[in-house]
Amino acid sequence: TALVAGLAVIARMTGWHTAKTLGDPLVWSLHAGAAWVAVGFLFVAAGDLGAPVPTTAGLHALTAGAIGAMILAVMTRVSLGHTGRPLVLPPCAVWCYALLHAGAIARVASALAPAGSSATALLVVAGALWAGAFVLFAALYAPILVRPRPDGVDG
């Protein structure tokens, strides 16, 4: 089932023209989150089908990768639109995405690494990068979220 789900996500994404979104981080970030869904299901399938892949690798791709990326992508976009601002990513905000994806990669890698100090180090790095993404988001978006809308509309 996981294999079918992963392949279905990939098949669905082939019609999204992701390459055309690369100039707009507010859009490609959503595509990257969806890609984590496919990766997560494929890791789960690999483990279920006998490959030496722990199920936790797929779980972390789905959680730290897919869920984290989608939450951050939607927050960065909706925070602009719902405060009456143009859908233009603030300077340095793309680093939020970079930190999150790097953290998700490190988290999946920690599940794939042999038990020991390298797995532990990857886990610490993953947590720091992932949390850093949301700390940076909070720092960049706090002024946007606490100031009045520039169009004067309530809300």
Side-chain angles (χ1 to χ4, degrees), residues 99-123:
L99 290 168
L100 185 127
H101 290 290
I105 290 167
R107 184 63 185 101
V108 171
S110 73
L112 296 170
S117 61
S118 64
T120 303
L122 282 167
L123 187 60

Side-chain angles (χ1 to χ4, degrees), residues 16-36:
W16 288 3
H17 305 286
T18 299
K20 292 180 181 178
T21 72
L22 296 179
D24 187 354
L26 287 171
V27 178
W28 68 248
S29 60
L30 295 165
H31 290 230
W36 276 110

Side-chain angles (χ1 to χ4, degrees), residues 10 22 31 37 39 61 77 102 146:
I10 291 169
L22 296 179
H31 290 230
V37 173
V39 169
R77 186 177 185 86
V146 300

Side-chain angles (χ1 to χ4, degrees), residues 42-151:
L42 293 177
F43 272 134
V44 169
D48 287 348
L49 295 172
V53 176
T55 303
T56 55
L59 176 67
H60 294 307
L62 290 166
T63 55
I67 294 172
M70 289 303 233
I71 288 171
L72 187 60
V74 171
M75 287 188 336
T76 54
R77 186 177 185 86
V78 169
S79 295
L80 297 171
H82 285 244
T83 60
R85 288 166 174 78
L87 295 178
V88 176
L89 202 61
C92 299
V94 74
W95 283 102
C96 296
Y97 304 143
L99 290 168
L100 185 127
H101 290 290
I105 290 167
R107 184 63 185 101
V108 171
S110 73
L112 296 170
S117 61
S118 64
T120 303
L122 282 167
L123 187 60
V124 171
V125 168
L129 290 168
W130 205 83
F134 288 98
V135 169
L136 181 58
F137 167 82
L140 294 173
Y141 276 78
I144 292 169
L145 296 169
V146 300
R147 290 188 183 132
R149 290 173 57 113
D151 59 9

